[in-house]
Amino acid sequence: MPVQWMWKLSLVSCSLMLLSGCQSAGEGPERFTLSGTAYFKGEPIPFGRILLQPDNEQGNKGPAGVADIKNGQFHTREGKGHVGGPHQVLIMATDGTQPASADVDNSLFAPVKFSVTLPKENTTYEFIIPAETQRL
């Protein structure tokens, strides 16, 4: 039985929190909002999550950011934006339906990783997932 998408999402989210450390409001580097759109096969992604991890290999450090995708639109959570600079971006998406059972996978595609450089300011971005991206 394949590991379910939501289990993977939880594991990745917990890993990012551990890697980025716990910080209270006002601590750490300045964070910026990221909002925009996310598409797969030319259609808005119904439901998903975007994880923004500063790219340590490019010398960028700081806490991870997160944004939820709903009907193709996303916006980083309050206080959970990006720190600017090079980032590794992980995008996961589902069709937005509740799976009928634990062995039903409603993922649209396998998690996709992008490298992007974000400005040190509030910004917008459009993510287009290639049509040839495969499901798990």
Side-chain angles (χ1 to χ4, degrees):
M1 179 164 80
V3 176
Q4 295 303 306
W5 181 86
M6 292 307 288
W7 173 249
K8 291 178 189 176
L9 176 61
S10 297
L11 182 61
V12 169
S13 296
C14 289
S15 298
L16 283 174
M17 285 189 287
L18 289 173
L19 288 173
S20 63
C22 298
Q23 295 178 329
S24 61
E27 291 183 11
E30 184 176 3
R31 296 174 81 158
F32 307 96
T33 61
L34 180 67
S35 59
T37 53
Y39 293 93
F40 177 58
K41 295 184 179 179
E43 299 291 326
I45 293 174
F47 184 80
R49 179 157 292 162
I50 299 173
L51 301 172
L52 306 157
Q53 180 66 44
D55 192 337
N56 292 328
E57 291 182 14
Q58 298 289 324
N60 197 15
K61 299 192 183 328
V66 64
D68 293 321
I69 304 169
K70 293 180 184 166
N71 299 317
Q73 303 289 314
F74 68 87
H75 188 85
T76 51
R77 295 178 184 176
E78 183 73 30
K80 301 292 183 189
H82 66 90
V83 295
H87 279 72
Q88 292 294 315
V89 177
L90 185 69
I91 300 178
M92 298 156 280
T94 72
D95 61 14
T97 64
Q98 179 72 30
S101 66
D103 58 340
V104 174
D105 182 9
N106 65 343
S107 300
L108 294 178
F109 48 82
V112 175
K113 190 175 185 180
F114 290 93
S115 293
V116 300
T117 299
L118 299 169
K120 291 186 182 262
E121 61 185 25
N122 298 334
T123 192
T124 60
Y125 206 90
E126 180 178 69
F127 290 104
I128 300 175
I129 308 304
E132 63 274 6
T133 303
Q134 299 295 315
R135 284 182 54 142
L136 295 174

